[in-house]
Amino acid sequence: MNPDTPNIGFDAKRAVANGTGLGSYSRTLINDLARYPLTLRLYAPDEGRDDLRTQIQDRDNVNFAYPHSSLLVPRSSFLLPPSSFLEKSLWRSHGIVADLVADGIQLYHGLSGELPIGIRKSGIPSVVTIHDLIFLRHPEYYHWLDTKIYAWKFRQTIREATHIIAISECTRRDILHYAPELDPARVSVIYQSCAPKFTPHSSLLTPHSTLHTPHSSLLTPPSSLKYILSVGTIEERKNILLAVKALETSLLPDDLHVVIIGRHTPYTDVVARYAHDHGLEERVHILHGISDAELPAYYAAAEAFVYPSRYEGFGIPIIEAISCGLPVVACTGSCLEEAGGPDTLYVSPDDPQAMAAAIAQVLKGAPGRDHRILRSREYIRRFQGNDVAGQVYRLYLRLLNKE
């Protein structure tokens, strides 16, 4: 290791375990930062998923680190088998600090809103990226116990952090609202970047994905199916039922479909049941288990993208959609205007007629569609890869007194 090259540690749990969201943020930022004169050491409780871990580019200055043999909880403990979930959690929240000190880490970055207890006391400066505080802003979408745990972690993390990155102005406002004692100078907005695989020319690498609908059908993009797309966990907060209801209006063509890609939750069944009860089951397709490699092709083959979420920290799927050449319809009420810019259309999250009218304005052949796409792509240049990494890199140097 070059002694003049900063040795940066990262919380890489989500990078190796989460397919989208926090995982995508972690992998994209790590790959972009690896181009800078830094040594990156990625700390994860285990190897995670091969398909995700291998998306992190193999570079000489990037290496993984897993729990050392001496963990907080002795391996001889009969209460905890080796590699148990609790043991890994304790290492990540406490025991990792000793490993960071032993490895000569000069700065640690928590990529998913958490920092280990005791890192400030260790003398290692730390950065944490906070993506959202939805559990505080909208606790109704969470189990009450989860909101208590997340709130405790938030309070603990801001006490430990040397500096906080918010991924949007909306998230920064929430952080300062729920932690008014924080010096605003300790909280910077650095937007999330979009992975370079999302382009208007994306192609499907494994063309055999099944769309699960009430009567199951098949879609292999690119396809003749005329559809609007939504991507994200299929949960109540994401509000995809609004787009399904828009199909019932007279404002949209009868051959328009909705393709929904995301993880199943109980709300998924609500959406499927509504489609069945209202005669829309042949036009509403719910897809689970789409690989990271396949996803760009579903964007590229769609007519438009819809993101009717009631609240987000940022909304990276909007950036992905625009990068793939799609016009976007989203909802008001959180930070989605920051992600989509002035040429995305925004409607109330409770107005199916307005959603339908907005979708009609962005379908192929609609006046101004191409101009809207062009302007949106110009807008999102501010979120593209290396500029985001460059801001993070300069923050590291400032905290290490190297700039």
Side-chain angles (χ1 to χ4, degrees), residues 1 5-16 26 29-31 33-34 36-46 53 56-57 59-69 91 96-111 116 119 124-125 127 396:
M1 182 179 69
T5 302
N7 190 18
I8 311 297
F10 293 87
D11 175 5
K13 175 185 175 181
R14 308 293 182 183
V16 301
S26 300
L29 182 59
I30 289 166
N31 284 333
L33 283 170
Y36 289 84
L38 298 169
T39 297
L40 311 183
R41 192 164 178 84
L42 314 183
Y43 291 84
D46 53 45
R53 189 182 63 259
I56 295 174
Q57 297 166 6
R59 291 177 176 266
D60 291 340
N61 64 331
V62 179
N63 55 82
F64 283 90
Y66 304 108
H68 292 180
S69 58
W91 172 77
I96 190 176
V97 174
D99 290 354
L100 300 177
V101 172
D103 292 339
I105 294 300
Q106 295 168 274
L107 183 145
Y108 182 76
H109 190 161
L111 295 169
I119 192 164
I124 299 174
V127 175
Y396 292 169

Side-chain angles (χ1 to χ4, degrees), residues 51-175:
D51 62 317
L52 300 179
R53 189 182 63 259
T54 55
Q55 289 177 33
I56 295 174
Q57 297 166 6
D58 186 11
R59 291 177 176 266
D60 291 340
N61 64 331
V62 179
N63 55 82
F64 283 90
Y66 304 108
H68 292 180
S69 58
S70 56
L71 294 176
L72 182 66
V73 179
R75 289 196 178 279
S76 59
S77 170
F78 68 91
L79 296 174
L80 294 171
S83 301
S84 72
F85 171 78
L86 182 55
E87 187 177 17
K88 292 174 185 178
S89 297
L90 289 171
W91 172 77
R92 184 166 171 259
S93 62
H94 294 77
I96 190 176
V97 174
D99 290 354
L100 300 177
V101 172
D103 292 339
I105 294 300
Q106 295 168 274
L107 183 145
Y108 182 76
H109 190 161
L111 295 169
S112 55
E114 297 180 54
L115 288 172
I117 297 170
I119 192 164
R120 177 174 285 271
K121 187 176 180 180
S122 76
I124 299 174
S126 62
V127 175
V128 63
T129 298
I130 295 181
H131 297 258
D132 63 68
L133 295 180
I134 299 171
F135 54 89
L136 293 175
R137 183 65 70 180
H138 287 285
E140 67 271 20
Y141 295 128
Y142 297 83
H143 188 282
W144 69 268
L145 182 58
D146 288 337
T147 62
K148 299 295 185 184
I149 294 172
Y150 297 155
W152 181 85
K153 285 185 175 182
F154 168 65
R155 304 298 310 179
Q156 178 63 36
T157 292
I158 63 172
R159 283 193 292 268
E160 297 282 356
T162 307
H163 199 86
I164 298 166
I165 293 174
I167 64 165
S168 68
E169 289 288 354
C170 178
T171 295
R172 184 177 189 272
R173 288 194 300 271
D174 280 353
I175 292 169

Side-chain angles (χ1 to χ4, degrees), residues 130-134 137-138 166-174 189 191-192 237-238 307 309-319 330-341 344 346 379 383:
I130 295 181
H131 297 258
D132 63 68
L133 295 180
I134 299 171
R137 183 65 70 180
H138 287 285
I167 64 165
S168 68
E169 289 288 354
C170 178
T171 295
R172 184 177 189 272
R173 288 194 300 271
D174 280 353
V189 175
Y191 287 108
Q192 186 172 358
R237 175 175 58 84
K238 301 286 188 181
Y307 204 62
S309 180
R310 293 182 179 276
Y311 207 86
E312 294 292 327
F314 183 53
I316 193 64
I318 290 178
I319 311 299
C331 283
T332 57
S334 59
C335 68
L336 300 184
E337 291 92 340
E338 279 187 70
T344 286
Y346 306 94
Y379 175 81
F383 307 129

